[in-house]
Amino acid sequence: MLGRRNFLYNSLSAVGALFLSKNSLLSGASDSGAANSRIEVLLDEPLGIISQNIYGHFTEHLGGVIYDGIWVGENSKVPNVNGIRKELVDEMRKIKAPVVRYPGGCFADSYDWRDGIGPAAKRPKRTNFWSDSASSAAPANHKYETNQFGSNEFLRFCKLIGCEAYLAANVRSLPAEQFYRWVEYCNSPAGSTTLAEERAAAGFRDPFGVQFWGVGNESWGCGGNFTAQEYAVEFRRYTEWVPRYGQQLSFIGSGPNTDDWNWTREFFEELVRKGTGRLHSLYGWALHYYTWNLSRGRTMDWVQGKGDAVKFDTVDWYELLREGERTESLIDGHWQIMGEIDREHQVKLVVDEWGPWYRPGSEATAGDQLEQMPTLRDAVFSGMTLDLFNRHPEKIAMANCAQLINCLNSLYLAQEDKFCVTPVGHVFGMYSAHQGGQGLRTIFSAPLIHYDRDGKAATFWGLKGSASLHEKELVLTVVNPHVGEPSEAEIAVRGSGIQSGTATTLTHADIHAHNTFEERDKVKPETSSVEARSKILRHTFPAASVTTLKLALA
Ligand code: AHR
């Protein structure tokens, strides 16, 4: 067990000397010396309300996401509701999925929403954006879009889950008029317009009431290859007159790729060229960050830099987390630049694509493009990322994990009648308790993890998380990233005391563990009760784990 002296030394190196002297971290703690870590939750330092939409999802007409993932068809032997996979709906209700983004991604800027409405048998077949890069094993409907799933089906899916829809409009290849018409189709009052009648003919008399609208996707790349200035001009034009029908509309601009600070700065400069009033038209600024480079600094090549989803060593484990940790500096960096022009910070960040991206080879279903097998590593990564979002509630209005099913950081895998919840899906379930809570500042103090990064000493933090308050219940989520060592922590709430509660933990003895159609429950959360002594809780966080503590406060 690490001595107290070392503990303090490591804590200091982890969080900085200023922090200890300013916050008297150890005051009031029991001093038995058994715990090597400490977590302090500061009730009197609220950070802001954690938007439920931070727990959002992303679905694209790509690989097996829509066809086979969400849509199985009305005549399928797979249990379904109007063609939508029932088990998926049931699971998404359990995790309180708040919002789903659709129809892309890159697909969005080649999609004509009109292709996906009207009688299914009459809908056209089109070449999917991802067609050229689909493998030869991919089914035909992954390459050639049948449009059997379109706006009506997607919005019914959202209704079944009880979540909001976030639609991404095509800026690259459709005129602004088509954006207005899509809004009209979705939101115009019953019986008001020809499009409202078309909607009613499809069985949807009442408006869908879609609030969130993306104005293009990755407009710096697949979404039109614009310069930031060009895109800002397009954004002003597309959002200048959009019919409201009494529905609040929240427009989300296509933001930067990773650390493209210039994209953010130049967009904002151009947006306000005709006055800062234009800031009102921008609800959110979309940041995309995929964690893909596991080369340990050897290359920046998009293909060469990737690692394997399942076959990895302990250094790869830490590398993924280190790369993922960059998200925090991206949020801070873009936020600061936005603030140079948007001084009141009216515009929030929307991290509408995030997650690890590995090289091909671990697909549960051969031919499913960009599908990968989420392991315990991705669960720890996802817990860490959601904690990070929770710690910035004033900045982040929404986040959407890429993607929901059969693609990248999937919460679910499905193939015909087979289905499973991945370790990532379980983390979303465990973290849903934070939604809508008051975020609180936390101080984590734990020994650093030391590891050998190709002959060079490297470190990673030992314990981190986030907290939110829900009346008298405190929700505290904690990640222990250490591949082999548990961490025992004293948990104290400044301004109150802890009584008792529950701890739900996701972990496994094998860091590569994952769920498959055959072994659906290999990695699953376990819940037990916890009891505080003298208002302080001692809790052991297993190696390679994610934990949700729900604690009644004194
Ligand atoms: O999520 C896969 C793709 O990654 C999306 O279509 C695109 O927006 C991003 O580059």
Side-chain angles (χ1 to χ4, degrees):
M1 185 64 65
L2 190 84
R4 185 179 170 79
R5 194 188 156 98
N6 279 341
F7 162 52
L8 274 173
Y9 172 79
N10 283 326
S11 302
L12 277 166
S13 42
V15 293
L18 181 69
F19 144 70
L20 265 185
S21 58
K22 254 181 117 181
N23 295 290
S24 317
L25 173 69
L26 297 171
S27 64
S30 89
D31 199 18
S32 69
N36 67 350
S37 308
R38 182 171 166 86
I39 302 168
E40 197 160 5
V41 180
L42 311 180
L43 265 194
D44 54 355
E45 292 199 38
L47 301 173
I49 299 295
I50 296 174
S51 164
Q52 59 180 14
N53 291 339
I54 281 178
Y55 292 85
H57 308 284
F58 170 37
T59 57
E60 177 167 10
H61 285 258
L62 158 60
V65 178
I66 302 295
Y67 300 112
D68 205 18
I70 301 174
W71 181 254
V72 293
E74 284 165 352
N75 301 321
S76 171
K77 63 176 179 173
V78 181
N80 67 83
V81 189
N82 299 109
I84 296 163
R85 187 182 285 275
K86 183 171 181 310
E87 202 167 4
L88 175 63
V89 172
D90 294 343
E91 289 297 334
M92 290 184 75
R93 289 181 71 88
K94 278 191 216 161
I95 65 166
K96 299 196 194 118
V99 61
V100 182
R101 179 175 182 241
Y102 170 85
C106 291
F107 176 87
D109 278 289
S110 60
Y111 181 59
D112 185 342
W113 65 273
R114 281 178 172 273
D115 290 346
I117 61 165
K122 291 198 172 153
R123 296 185 192 172
K125 204 186 254 188
R126 306 275 188 218
T127 307
N128 185 296
F129 172 88
W130 297 95
S131 171
D132 285 349
S133 46
S135 90
S136 52
N141 64 3
H142 291 191
K143 297 180 209 162
Y144 302 105
E145 177 57 53
T146 60
N147 283 304
Q148 297 305 287
F149 190 90
S151 301
N152 299 332
E153 291 75 20
F154 173 72
L155 291 160
R156 174 179 272 142
F157 174 52
C158 291
K159 198 158 186 216
L160 289 170
I161 299 164
C163 74
E164 295 292 326
Y166 164 16
L167 294 174
N170 180 345
V171 170
R172 173 167 58 79
S173 54
L174 281 186
E177 183 221 9
Q178 282 307 316
F179 177 32
Y180 311 151
R181 296 281 175 255
W182 200 9
V183 174
E184 184 173 314
Y185 181 79
C186 292
N187 292 352
S188 59
S192 62
T193 65
T194 303
L195 286 172
E197 279 162 17
E198 265 190 70
R199 189 185 66 219
F204 304 93
R205 188 181 170 276
D206 294 328
F208 291 116
V210 178
Q211 176 185 343
F212 299 109
W213 294 88
V215 183
N217 169 76
E218 297 194 349
S219 302
W220 38 264
C222 64
N225 212 0
F226 295 107
T227 65
Q229 288 89 350
E230 287 166 348
Y231 173 64
V233 171
E234 294 300 311
F235 182 89
R236 281 204 310 253
R237 194 160 68 83
Y238 273 66
T239 56
E240 178 49 31
W241 181 87
V242 185
R244 273 359 195 225
Y245 309 109
Q247 168 67 52
Q248 185 194 339
L249 298 182
S250 300
F251 299 126
I252 295 160
S254 170
N257 181 24
T258 313
D259 56 357
D260 187 350
W261 314 119
N262 285 339
W263 181 264
T264 294
R265 182 171 284 112
E266 290 168 17
F267 172 87
F268 274 79
E269 281 169 359
E270 180 59 46
L271 181 69
V272 300
R273 192 168 303 282
K274 295 187 72 193
T276 50
R278 281 299 84 205
L279 288 166
H280 290 296
S281 64
L282 182 63
Y283 164 83
W285 184 232
L287 164 66
H288 286 186
Y289 176 49
Y290 285 102
T291 305
W292 60 275
N293 195 335
L294 299 187
S295 74
R296 306 169 193 183
R298 279 193 284 265
T299 179
M300 285 303 287
D301 184 278
W302 174 250
V303 175
Q304 298 301 319
K306 294 218 182 72
D308 194 274
V310 181
K311 294 179 215 123
F312 56 83
D313 60 21
T314 56
V315 181
D316 291 328
W317 168 285
Y318 292 124
E319 284 301 294
L320 182 85
L321 301 181
R322 259 165 79 111
E323 286 289 305
E325 184 79 352
R326 286 182 67 199
T327 309
E328 194 145 29
S329 62
L330 298 175
I331 290 167
D332 284 335
H334 288 291
W335 184 253
Q336 196 188 323
I337 294 168
M338 289 155 71
E340 289 169 13
I341 288 165
D342 177 18
R343 296 197 180 278
E344 315 264 290
H345 276 303
Q346 299 169 47
V347 184
K348 307 296 178 198
L349 279 163
V350 169
V351 189
D352 61 15
E353 290 188 29
W354 66 268
W357 191 325
Y358 304 107
R359 60 172 167 249
S362 66
E363 303 80 15
T365 303
D368 276 2
Q369 207 171 357
L370 301 193
E371 184 174 298
Q372 58 195 30
M373 180 57 73
T375 67
L376 181 63
R377 177 173 61 161
D378 303 299
V380 167
F381 175 98
S382 300
M384 176 190 95
T385 305
L386 293 171
D387 280 326
L388 195 153
F389 293 154
N390 287 340
R391 295 197 297 267
H392 296 273
E394 80 289 11
K395 303 185 184 86
I396 305 179
M398 191 194 291
N400 309 75
C401 179
Q403 298 195 10
L404 178 71
I405 183 165
N406 290 346
C407 187
L408 301 174
N409 202 36
S410 315
L411 283 80
Y412 311 105
L413 296 173
Q415 182 195 87
E416 297 172 354
D417 58 350
K418 291 178 253 172
F419 182 87
C420 71
V421 180
T422 72
V424 173
H426 286 308
V427 167
F428 270 85
M430 290 165 62
Y431 275 59
S432 64
H434 277 301
Q435 291 183 16
Q438 174 61 256
L440 297 172
R441 193 161 85 82
T442 50
I443 301 170
F444 281 76
S445 174
L448 287 175
I449 297 167
H450 295 266
Y451 67 100
D452 185 318
R453 189 179 187 245
D454 295 344
K456 286 198 185 135
T459 56
F460 194 70
W461 48 260
L463 218 54
K464 258 194 195 181
S466 64
S468 61
L469 189 66
H470 309 252
E471 296 183 356
K472 290 292 273 182
E473 183 179 72
L474 178 75
V475 176
L476 175 66
T477 45
V478 180
V479 167
N480 177 5
H482 201 297
V483 288
E485 285 179 19
S487 185
E488 186 177 5
E490 283 185 345
I491 304 167
V493 178
R494 195 192 288 174
S496 182
I498 300 169
Q499 290 182 329
S500 59
T502 58
T504 302
T505 303
L506 188 78
T507 188
H508 197 279
D510 177 6
I511 58 172
H512 310 93
H514 51 275
N515 296 334
T516 61
F517 300 135
E518 293 72 37
E519 259 188 302
R520 286 169 50 127
D521 289 329
K522 191 161 182 175
V523 188
K524 67 169 194 218
E526 304 285 349
T527 300
S528 57
S529 53
V530 294
E531 203 74 42
R533 279 208 198 148
S534 314
K535 300 187 171 181
I536 287 176
L537 178 68
R538 249 168 210 267
H539 190 76
T540 301
F541 297 96
S545 69
V546 180
T547 301
T548 301
L549 290 158
K550 290 184 186 169
L551 304 170
L553 297 183

